[in-house]
Amino acid sequence: MDHATLQRRLASLGYYSGAIDGKFGPLSRAATLKCLTDGPDHPITLGDVAAAAQDLSVDPATIWAVYDVEAAGDAFIDGRPTILFEPHRFSRSTKHRYDAAYPAISSRTWNKKLYPASQQRRWEQLLAAVALDVDAGFMSASYGAFQILGENYAVCDAADAWSFAWRQSRTEGDQLEAFVRFVVGRGLKSALQRRDWAAFAKGYNGTAYRENRYDERLAAAYGKRSKAA
């Protein structure tokens, strides 16, 4: 997607009224941010989780465990989905052409120091990346309660990375639907059913899951949720 197409998408949703000039200037930036902020940000309900659990043939505590670990329960902050922008993914998607000029958003190697602590600064990273490359920008962030990377838009049944980001900005129910599609599409359903947290974490978060103890954290979260059920 080019910037003119993004402007048309934003205009069709009522957020952009400027010229369709293909320039990601202040008007386009503000329209993008407002579009992804407006919500309605509805939380998931017990019924939503029960239906998703039935689809995956797991108990609700299993889904709640992933919810608790991936975004610490914060699906939205300040009206926007919680995100984590991945500079090394953006670098790979853009064939490293922005590494030298934009080291804060494009890094050939993974670097934890490039992860800002605040959501505001993470959104600034994302919008700076979108200004350079719309698709690569939205593909290189993970979104919402289940922190699914935008690269996975197709397996989550979105037409493109922008559409995926927009859906993630709507409700926690949309985020939950993407999670179910991702688990099925990436062949993780069986691991989730067995509560093989190591196998699930490896497929969900990558081989670095051990460094962040994702499997241990998932197991602990499941233990708390299952006792509370």
Side-chain angles (χ1 to χ4, degrees), residues 10 15-19 24-32:
L10 292 166
Y15 289 95
Y16 182 75
S17 57
F24 197 77
L27 286 178
S28 295
R29 186 185 188 281
T32 301

Side-chain angles (χ1 to χ4, degrees), residues 74-223:
D74 289 324
F76 292 94
I77 294 177
D78 296 329
R80 293 185 289 274
T82 55
I83 65 167
L84 182 64
F85 182 77
E86 301 279 7
H88 68 291
R89 297 283 191 169
F90 183 73
S91 175
R92 187 178 70 179
S93 294
T94 56
K95 302 187 186 307
H96 317 294
R97 65 180 178 273
Y98 297 115
D99 291 359
Y102 301 92
I105 61 172
S106 188
S107 172
R108 186 177 289 265
T109 59
W110 180 83
N111 183 353
K112 189 176 183 179
K113 293 180 180 179
L114 296 179
Y115 290 160
S118 72
Q119 282 294 306
Q120 179 181 345
R121 290 187 59 203
R122 292 180 185 185
W123 276 90
E124 289 171 358
Q125 276 185 313
L126 173 57
L127 292 173
V130 168
L132 298 174
D133 188 306
V134 177
D135 291 330
F138 287 120
M139 286 168 59
S140 300
S142 54
Y143 302 85
F146 297 95
Q147 288 294 291
I148 298 174
L149 195 67
E151 289 179 0
N152 299 291
Y153 68 86
V155 77
C156 294
D157 198 34
D160 48 49
W162 154 254
S163 299
F164 178 76
W166 181 77
R167 286 188 192 177
Q168 297 299 287
S169 78
R170 305 303 293 160
T171 71
E172 288 189 32
D174 290 289
Q175 296 171 4
L176 178 59
E177 179 185 359
F179 170 74
V180 172
R181 291 182 182 277
F182 179 81
V183 168
V184 173
R186 292 300 184 210
L188 299 175
K189 185 175 178 179
S190 177
L192 201 61
Q193 290 170 341
R194 300 191 311 272
R195 290 192 293 279
D196 183 343
W197 296 119
F200 177 78
K202 182 178 180 180
Y204 200 88
N205 298 108
T207 55
Y209 76 91
R210 290 189 183 91
E211 297 176 22
N212 297 308
R213 298 173 46 241
Y214 270 118
D215 54 334
E216 297 175 30
R217 290 161 59 194
L218 286 165
Y222 176 78

